[in-house]
Amino acid sequence: MESINALTAIDYSSLFIASFSVLIGIKAIVSLFEWLFDKLGIETKWMRQKREEHNLLIQTSKGLIELQKKHEEDIIKSVKNNAEIRKDIKNLTDMFVQKEIDDMRWEIINFATDLSSGKTYNRESFDHILRMYQKYEDILNKKHMENGLVTESIGYINEMYRENLKHGVVQ
């Protein structure tokens, strides 16, 4: 029972202060030894490990800086390449649209020329040409272009279509 009473009688604040003082003293002694070893040029295993970690940290930092520079260069190249790709795609799209316009124009004009030469067509052929003309006009409107030769040809095709319907030639 006396031992239990002795434990309850311990002054814990004094124990805490004493423990803290001992730890500060140990830290001071370790710092003193580090300073002394540093002045004498003696390197301990702990000091060598600390130096190696420091060198590794510096090396890693330099590597990260190089990687960041490389990343920025890659981004700049990527942006340039994307711009070139967009330009090429736009050029290809414009070329495709121009070819499509030319093909439609040629087919409509050729159809009108064949009609004026006396060739006969069925209703499906006339419907196909009229639908193609509508697509042709839609493309021109989207591209803010103007219709040239095809206006006269489609007028003639419409006139011949109505005339052939009257006379029962188109079926």
Side-chain angles (χ1 to χ4, degrees):
M1 189 75 163
E2 288 179 28
S3 59
I4 293 176
N5 284 338
L7 283 177
T8 57
I10 295 176
D11 185 15
Y12 288 106
S13 61
S14 298
L15 180 64
F16 175 74
I17 292 173
S19 299
F20 190 69
S21 298
V22 169
L23 290 175
I24 289 176
I26 291 172
K27 173 66 177 158
I29 292 171
V30 168
S31 295
L32 180 65
F33 278 119
E34 284 180 0
W35 177 80
L36 181 64
F37 287 154
D38 187 43
K39 290 297 179 186
L40 295 176
I42 300 172
E43 186 175 49
T44 63
K45 182 179 178 184
W46 180 77
M47 291 171 69
R48 184 177 60 243
Q49 185 178 12
K50 188 175 174 183
R51 180 181 45 81
E52 288 173 355
E53 287 175 358
H54 177 73
N55 289 341
L56 181 62
L57 183 63
I58 289 173
Q59 186 179 13
T60 304
S61 175
K62 287 178 183 177
L64 285 174
I65 290 170
E66 289 176 21
L67 281 175
Q68 185 177 8
K69 286 179 184 177
K70 178 68 175 153
H71 177 70
E72 289 171 359
E73 290 172 3
D74 289 346
I75 287 175
I76 291 169
K77 286 179 184 177
S78 176
V79 168
K80 286 180 183 177
N81 288 340
N82 286 346
E84 289 177 16
I85 289 171
R86 277 192 211 103
K87 181 181 171 186
D88 290 344
I89 289 174
K90 184 178 180 341
N91 287 340
L92 286 173
T93 303
D94 290 345
M95 287 172 53
F96 175 76
V97 168
Q98 189 59 46
K99 172 141 178 39
E100 193 71 19
I101 288 171
D102 290 344
D103 289 349
M104 288 178 177
R105 182 180 294 135
W106 175 254
E107 191 170 346
I108 293 168
I109 292 171
N110 195 35
F111 189 88
T113 302
D114 287 348
L115 271 178
S116 67
S117 298
K119 188 172 181 181
T120 58
Y121 287 100
N122 60 14
R123 174 180 237 138
E124 289 175 9
S125 297
F126 276 101
D127 288 343
H128 169 73
I129 287 295
L130 293 174
R131 280 192 310 270
M132 182 181 295
Y133 175 72
Q134 187 58 47
K135 288 179 187 177
Y136 174 79
E137 284 293 325
D138 291 343
I139 291 171
L140 291 179
N141 287 335
K142 285 180 185 175
K143 294 295 181 179
H144 306 291
M145 299 170 77
E146 292 189 19
N147 185 351
L149 302 172
V150 177
T151 304
E152 293 296 322
S153 296
I154 203 67
Y156 179 73
I157 291 170
N158 279 326
E159 180 183 322
M160 291 303 293
Y161 184 53
R162 283 190 293 269
E163 190 176 308
N164 286 341
L165 282 175
K166 273 186 198 176
H167 297 273
V169 178
V170 176
Q171 298 177 2

